[in-house]
């Protein structure tokens, strides 16, 4: 009997832990870009093995992985497509489509009609946020639509100027989205099971950044960039806790906030990348400036943190990789430039993995002393805007129209 009980305990424990290769949301587990489950090869091949590649529709939404499946939100014509595929083979499991006509801002025509928002998987449900503001919940196993909201009755516009780009966040049974448009909007906490509104912060409409959950001074809070601020609201009830004024040209606040202990790192187009300490003193929230680095402004590419250093891509000089010391903000190195218009980063142990709009996968050591290239692979003939999904021994990439799985 003791053996049986021990076995049951182990099985139940395993069932409660996400699969080792799950990459179930924007920037992976914790929304930090850290790929703890990735196993680097003993020797990097001259070229990784393409396991499969399929036509999957347009858009820059990132694929997500859970329980041996890949999920993708894309567009075909005037419809948005939500689909599931087997990770091992690329074989379709289910596919749903719905009408989603969208008129692009002329300034964004080069980016297409989306979608740009990455889905999130949680407890057997998949949540998608279309470029025009259609929020949907799906049964991840069957593809059945569970509920839908499109916000047309609530806000004058249902998307910011260049379309919805923020990726929804789930914490326990709370689904967080920043809905609405330039003139009015709200950061919403919704019941994940029904879509019912639990709380709403109506201080400002959305920009293009994706929220994270932080715990400053032990208080759980949602932190994101709105159109003209970095903001924080209480996770429990949506109460505003603090805000920091922050604007970029054309209201293009895009970068996902980074949290490292008390440290908050944020940035944007043409602005210094900045770190502040967030504290609560005497019942009031304060944000103390730690450093600001004008040498490495970031536009669309959110950096990653590895062993006390910040690695990313600045849009200066047509794209430079960089490394910054988190303690004081000193630039430790930059590459020469012309790397790419944009890059999506992940950290895997002591490695950096970056996909770029040059169609490349760049593998480098997370080395604060110098840029140390390991391998540079061309994996697509079109720009890769969507962030990759990292599996245990490979990477799932969405380029302009195709979805593919590469193994090392």
């Amino acid at each position: 009997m003791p053996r049986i009980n021990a076995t049951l305990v182990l099985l139940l424990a395993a069932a409660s832990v996400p699969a080792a290769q799950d990459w179930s949301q924007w920037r992976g587990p914790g929304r930090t870009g850290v790929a703890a489950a990735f196993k680097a090869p003993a020797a990097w091949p001259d070229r990784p093995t393409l396991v499969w590649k399929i036509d999957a529709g347009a858009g820059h939404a990132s694929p997500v992985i859970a329980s041996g499946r890949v999920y993708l939100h894309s567009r075909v014509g005037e419809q948005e497509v939500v689909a599931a595929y087997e990770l091992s083979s690329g074989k379709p499991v289910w596919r749903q489509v719905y009408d989603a006509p969208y008129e692009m801002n002329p300034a964004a025509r080069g980016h297409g009609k989306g979608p740009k928002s990455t889905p999130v998987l949680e407890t057997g449900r998949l949540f998608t946020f279309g470029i025009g503001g259609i929020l949907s919940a799906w049964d991840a196993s069957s593809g059945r639509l569970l509920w839908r909201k499109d916000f047309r009755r609530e806000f004058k516009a249902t998307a910011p100027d260049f379309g919805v780009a923020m990726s929804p966040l789930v914490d326990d049974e709370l689904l967080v989205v920043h809905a609405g448009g330039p003139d009015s909007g709200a950061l919403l906490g919704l019941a994940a099971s029904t879509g019912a509104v639990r709380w709403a912060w109506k201080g400002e409409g959305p920009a293009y950044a994706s929220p994270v959950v932080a715990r400053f001074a032990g208080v759980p809070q949602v932190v994101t960039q709105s159109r003209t601020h970095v903001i924080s609201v209480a996770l429990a009830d949506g109460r505003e806790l603090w805000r920091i004024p922050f604007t970029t040209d054309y209201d293009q606040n895009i970068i996902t906030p980074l949290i490292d202990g008390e440290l908050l790192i944020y940035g944007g187009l043409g602005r210094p990348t900045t770190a502040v300490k967030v504290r609560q003193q005497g019942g009031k929230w304060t944000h103390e400036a730690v450093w600001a680095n004008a040498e490495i402004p970031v536009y669309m590419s959110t950096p990653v943190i590895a062993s006390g250093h910040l690695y990313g891509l600045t849009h200066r000089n047509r794209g430079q990789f960089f490394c910054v010391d988190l303690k004081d903000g000193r630039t430790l190195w930059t590459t020469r430039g012309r790397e790419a218009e944009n890059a999506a980063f992940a950290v895997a142990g002591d490695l950096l993995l970056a996909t770029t709009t040059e169609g490349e996968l760049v593998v480098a050591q997370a080395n604060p002393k110098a840029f140390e290239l390991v391998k540079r692979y061309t994996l697509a003939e079109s720009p890769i805007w969507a962030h990759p999904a990292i599996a245990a021994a490979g990477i799932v990439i969405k380029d302009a129209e195709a979805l593919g799985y590469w193994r090392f």
Side-chain angles (χ1 to χ4, degrees):
M1 184 65 80
R3 290 184 178 178
I4 295 174
N5 287 339
T7 301
L8 286 173
V9 168
L10 289 172
L11 287 172
L12 289 171
S16 66
V17 177
Q21 59 184 19
D22 283 2
W23 190 268
S24 58
Q25 63 174 329
W26 169 246
R27 285 169 54 88
R31 300 170 85 87
T32 59
V34 175
F38 178 78
K39 298 177 182 177
W44 288 88
D46 291 335
R47 184 167 178 78
T49 300
L50 178 60
V51 181
W52 52 262
K53 191 171 186 177
I54 58 173
D55 292 333
H60 302 329
S62 304
V64 292
I65 302 171
S67 302
R69 289 184 180 179
V70 180
Y71 298 84
L72 184 70
H73 190 193
S74 62
R75 169 178 288 269
V76 176
E78 291 302 306
Q79 292 183 313
E80 288 186 341
V81 179
V82 182
Y85 307 91
E86 290 182 356
L87 175 61
S88 60
S89 65
K91 179 181 177 181
V93 178
W94 56 258
R95 184 177 186 269
Q96 295 281 21
V97 300
Y98 58 91
D99 292 338
Y102 179 71
E103 187 65 34
M104 282 186 293
N105 184 305
R109 292 196 185 278
H111 286 269
K113 293 187 175 184
K116 301 175 180 178
S117 169
T118 294
V120 57
L121 275 158
E122 182 70 19
T123 58
R125 293 166 299 200
L126 180 73
F127 301 93
T128 61
F129 203 11
I131 195 168
I134 297 175
L135 178 66
S136 305
W138 313 86
D139 179 85
S141 176
S142 66
R144 179 172 59 91
L145 180 66
L146 301 176
W147 56 261
R148 173 168 289 159
K149 298 175 76 74
D150 65 14
F151 301 108
R152 282 181 293 183
R153 294 184 180 181
E154 300 177 46
F155 305 113
K156 182 178 178 181
T158 57
D161 294 332
F162 305 121
V164 169
M166 72 80 56
S167 298
L169 166 71
V170 177
D171 188 276
D172 195 10
E173 277 295 300
L174 187 72
L175 172 66
V176 178
V177 297
H178 206 163
D183 300 320
S184 64
L187 186 66
L188 300 171
L190 309 174
S193 57
T194 64
V197 176
R198 289 187 177 177
W199 53 253
W201 176 83
K202 297 183 178 180
E204 198 166 45
Y208 309 95
S210 296
V212 296
V213 171
R215 283 170 173 79
F216 294 121
V219 179
Q221 46 202 278
V222 177
V223 181
T224 192
Q225 291 194 37
S226 62
R227 285 175 66 81
T228 60
H229 290 84
V230 181
I231 62 158
S232 168
V233 305
L235 181 65
D237 57 16
R239 198 168 32 87
E240 182 177 318
L241 300 178
W242 51 264
R243 65 166 69 189
I244 301 171
F246 185 74
T247 58
T248 55
D249 293 342
Y250 313 109
D251 296 322
Q252 291 191 77
N253 285 356
I254 295 172
I255 300 301
T256 299
L258 293 166
I259 312 295
D260 187 58
E262 293 181 314
L263 209 61
L264 164 70
I265 302 100
Y266 61 92
L269 174 63
R271 302 293 184 266
T273 297
T274 300
V276 299
K277 280 188 177 178
V278 180
R279 293 171 173 165
Q280 192 177 37
Q281 297 176 333
K284 294 183 178 180
W285 290 96
T286 64
H287 39 87
E288 172 191 343
V290 177
W291 53 261
N293 187 330
E295 297 175 341
I296 45 103
V298 286
Y299 180 19
M300 292 175 283
S301 177
T302 298
V304 290
I305 295 173
S307 301
H309 297 91
L310 189 71
Y311 296 90
L313 178 87
T314 174
H315 52 277
R316 294 182 64 192
N317 298 315
R318 298 191 180 182
Q320 291 175 282
F321 296 134
F322 67 77
C323 175
V324 163
D325 192 320
L326 266 187
K327 295 191 301 294
D328 55 21
R330 285 183 304 120
T331 303
L332 300 179
W333 54 256
T334 60
T335 55
R336 294 180 62 182
R338 297 181 180 271
E339 301 287 358
E341 185 176 357
N342 193 55
F345 287 87
V347 179
D350 61 355
L351 293 172
L352 300 174
L353 308 175
T355 53
T356 77
T357 46
E358 298 299 304
E360 292 182 330
L361 168 66
V362 177
V363 183
Q365 289 290 332
N367 183 352
K369 295 181 179 180
F371 177 68
E372 185 179 345
L373 181 68
V374 176
K375 282 289 185 180
R376 190 185 295 264
Y377 300 111
T378 297
L379 301 185
E381 296 179 0
S382 62
I384 302 172
W385 283 97
H387 280 228
I390 312 298
I395 186 169
V396 178
I397 288 176
K398 169 67 170 63
D399 60 30
E401 296 278 350
L403 181 71
Y405 178 36
W406 299 81
R407 289 181 65 91
F408 300 104

